[in-house]
Amino acid sequence: MRKRRVLSLAGVVFLAASVTAARADIAIPPETGTVETISAGEVWSRVIEFPAETFALEETAPPGRCASCLTKPTLLAPDDGAALSTISPLFEWNLHTDPAATGMQMQFSWNSEFTYLVTTMSSSQQTGEGSYRWGENFDPATTYFWRVRLICGEESSDWSDHRSFTTGSGGVLLPAPAPVSPYDGATIPLGSRPARLSWSPVAGAEEYQVERIVVGQLGSNIYYRTETDLDIYYLDENTTYEWWVKARNAYGYGSASPPQKFRQNLVLESGDYDGDGSGDIAIFRDTTGLWAVRGITRFYFGQSYDIPASGDYDGDGTTEPALFRSSSGLWAIRGLTRVYYGGSTDLPIPADYDGDGSCDAGIFRGENGLWALRGLTRFYYGTSGDTPVPGDYGHSGTAEFALFRSSTGLWAWRNVTRTYYGTGGDWPVTGDYFGSDAAPAIFRGSSGLWAVMTRTRLYFGTGEDAPVPGDYDGAAGDDIAIFRDRVGLWSVRSLTRVYFGQEDDLPVTR
């Protein structure tokens, strides 16, 4: 078995992760840190077979604990000394509905003194009757001892009385499910929808366990499902995730599927589809390949998991619909050309990097910070989790190489400068809002805040909205706007509200 620190919330289990609370105001930390690459993390996977006194966790509660946490839990199942037919038992206990409890801990040992621990697990289950099934199989035909205690902040109750059980043997484990979607290495365009993972059913399965990690980081998320699909919300853009799934029957967990990788992308470039000098309301429906530009045209171009990467690729002042297919590195520019450039972990970053008036094909590879611009240059700048935000910040007619790191609010321009603006969870919404040049800007969905650095702060939209700034009226400067795909609402501040599109459509207006 593997030692893991577990937090469980509403059917989803979070393993050993750090959480930083977002501040209500724009965060401007001191000028510290650098833009650098990171090395891949190690997988924490080992069996603990040494005396318990080497652990930092104490077997008795610390002095001065809260009085309401004095009541120790009562174990309910399995029965003490039970001989089980499974190697993946369900544990149940009563926490006595303690309002001060913020969590619980479980310990498993090979002896009743708990001098040799198999594992210690922490969970956020707080009150009432609790239950938990460890996500790994216990050894067959083996006797274990277990106990539980309450956690009240940094304090704890006494351990419950311990019980023992002996696992079964001779059962048959199920084969691994086969992942169906997204395909391995897929890049999923980030609108306001979740990423849906799906897999083939396995005959005899009572439950499926899905595990997801951020590539290069410690810790994982575990989900339990009876269905054969799972919607994942609140993913970081431009970040690579890996997942696998296994099936459980009455005897235990079967083998895991081969790991699959996917990432989500925030970069959706587009603009003026009819050349009239203003941005157009437009959507891409990747389930059918439909492109629809309001009042102008409808056509079919592309397929599921294609990333819209439109721009003015021929310099005629009109946006060409374009797609990047990460599975093959295909760039398809409708009516112009098809080329192959990039790979499965890359993000398209089309922009005018050489100042010739037309869009250049380019990719950002977050794993190693690679920027590669077709026919122009390649260099390394940034790391996994950074969002590329190229733009004409100096009003020079040429896109500059820029990054936004939401974990710290860092904005960094290669060979130019760096500053801090924003915090975790903010979306970068760089735009030419005042008709002069692009400026760092963020949209904070939790409050609907739009903030343009040194210029303005206002509230427009909610957490279910995708920010879609653009020059919708042809006047100098971009307009603040949102797309609410649940109802197909486009709302451009101080200009218009229209309904165009449906749930899961991707906005392709910039």
Side-chain angles (χ1 to χ4, degrees):
M1 291 177 59
R2 288 183 282 178
K3 177 181 181 294
R4 295 176 176 173
R5 186 169 178 271
V6 181
L7 302 173
S8 176
L9 284 171
V12 54
V13 177
F14 301 90
L15 298 185
S18 298
V19 178
T20 302
R23 283 164 284 186
D25 295 322
I26 297 288
I28 307 178
E31 292 281 342
T32 58
T34 57
V35 180
E36 73 281 347
T37 59
I38 59 172
S39 60
E42 298 178 356
V43 177
W44 186 9
S45 176
R46 57 179 177 172
V47 175
I48 306 302
E49 297 185 6
F50 43 83
E53 55 266 22
T54 63
F55 284 82
L57 296 172
E58 298 292 336
E59 292 200 10
T60 59
R65 62 176 180 250
C66 51
S68 63
C69 222
L70 287 171
T71 303
K72 63 185 182 182
T74 301
L75 305 186
L76 301 178
D79 292 335
D80 191 24
L84 307 179
S85 59
T86 181
I87 56 177
S88 179
L90 178 67
F91 300 97
E92 297 180 89
W93 58 89
N94 193 313
L95 299 183
H96 304 288
T97 317
D98 192 326
T102 58
M104 51 76 64
Q105 286 183 332
M106 300 177 69
Q107 278 189 343
F108 296 92
S109 176
W110 285 295
N111 60 32
S112 59
E113 290 77 30
F114 290 82
T115 53
Y116 285 87
L117 293 178
V118 179
T119 189
T120 295
M121 299 182 294
S122 298
S123 169
S124 65
Q125 290 173 304
Q126 297 178 13
T127 59
E129 183 176 310
S131 63
Y132 185 72
R133 191 188 307 274
W134 177 232
E136 303 282 350
N137 293 327
F138 288 84
D139 292 334
T142 303
T143 298
Y144 294 91
F145 296 82
W146 70 291
R147 60 186 182 181
V148 178
R149 70 176 176 183
L150 293 181
I151 302 298
C152 299
E154 296 182 356
E155 303 173 342
S156 60
S157 73
D158 290 329
W159 287 105
S160 67
D161 297 334
H162 66 261
R163 285 187 177 184
S164 68
F165 64 91
T166 301
T167 52
S169 61
V172 177
L173 298 176
L174 296 176
V180 174
S181 67
Y183 63 81
D184 191 25
T187 299
I188 302 173
L190 178 62
S192 52
R193 62 179 176 173
R196 172 162 292 182
L197 314 181
S198 66
W199 54 92
S200 63
V202 176
E206 296 182 359
E207 186 179 57
Y208 299 95
Q209 182 201 88
V210 182
E211 188 163 359
R212 173 179 63 84
I213 65 170
V214 176
V215 173
Q217 296 183 19
L218 292 175
S220 66
N221 298 68
I222 292 181
Y223 309 83
Y224 295 93
R225 303 283 290 171
T226 55
E227 300 85 358
T228 56
D229 55 46
L230 171 67
D231 286 342
I232 306 291
Y233 294 82
Y234 309 115
L235 296 172
D236 293 328
E237 67 272 9
N238 304 337
T239 299
T240 300
Y241 295 90
E242 190 171 66
W243 68 284
W244 53 92
V245 59
K246 55 187 177 183
R248 181 184 62 79
N249 60 10
Y251 182 60
Y253 287 99
S255 55
S257 67
Q260 306 281 296
K261 292 182 179 179
F262 72 93
R263 64 187 296 132
Q264 282 200 308
N265 172 40
L266 183 62
V267 180
L268 299 174
E269 290 292 340
S270 189
D272 181 4
Y273 289 89
D274 60 359
D276 67 353
S278 63
D280 300 301
I281 289 173
I283 61 93
F284 171 59
R285 188 170 298 162
D286 74 333
T287 54
T288 63
L290 170 68
W291 289 71
V293 185
R294 184 173 181 263
I296 300 173
T297 188
R298 293 167 57 97
F299 56 87
Y300 290 87
F301 181 61
Q303 63 187 34
S304 292
Y305 305 121
D306 285 349
I307 301 171
S310 300
D312 183 4
Y313 287 89
D314 59 4
D316 66 353
T318 302
T319 292
E320 285 80 39
L323 294 167
F324 174 67
R325 187 168 297 162
S326 62
S327 60
S328 62
L330 169 68
W331 288 75
I333 304 169
R334 188 170 185 259
L336 288 182
T337 189
R338 293 164 58 98
V339 298
Y340 289 87
Y341 192 70
S344 62
T345 63
D346 298 338
L347 299 174
I349 50 171
D352 183 4
Y353 292 97
D354 57 4
D356 66 354
S358 63
C359 208
D360 303 300
I363 60 93
F364 174 71
R365 187 171 297 165
E367 281 74 10
N368 58 10
L370 171 67
W371 293 66
L373 311 179
R374 185 171 183 264
L376 295 177
T377 188
R378 38 187 297 137
F379 57 88
Y380 294 88
Y381 188 63
T383 187
S384 180
D386 289 348
T387 299
V389 285
D392 187 3
Y393 295 90
H395 204 56
S396 63
T398 302
E400 299 167 25
F401 309 114
L403 293 167
F404 174 64
R405 184 172 297 168
S406 66
S407 60
T408 61
L410 172 69
W411 292 75
W413 292 262
R414 184 173 182 252
N415 299 327
V416 180
T417 190
R418 49 191 289 127
T419 189
Y420 289 88
Y421 197 66
T423 189
D426 291 347
W427 285 27
V429 287
T430 300
D432 187 6
Y433 294 96
F434 295 90
S436 56
D437 51 42
I442 61 94
F443 171 69
R444 184 170 297 164
S446 59
S447 63
L449 171 68
W450 290 73
V452 183
M453 190 174 185
T454 72
R455 305 292 179 85
T456 189
R457 291 166 57 102
L458 55 91
Y459 292 87
F460 190 73
T462 69
E464 65 177 324
D465 300 334
V468 287
D471 184 5
Y472 292 91
D473 58 3
D478 285 332
D479 303 298
I480 287 172
I482 59 93
F483 173 61
R484 188 171 298 164
D485 77 326
R486 179 175 54 81
V487 293
L489 170 67
W490 292 76
S491 184
V492 184
R493 185 174 181 266
S494 303
L495 189 61
T496 190
R497 288 168 59 96
V498 298
Y499 290 87
F500 189 72
Q502 64 185 39
E503 189 168 10
D504 289 345
D505 286 349
L506 299 171
V508 286
T509 296
R510 173 71 174 128

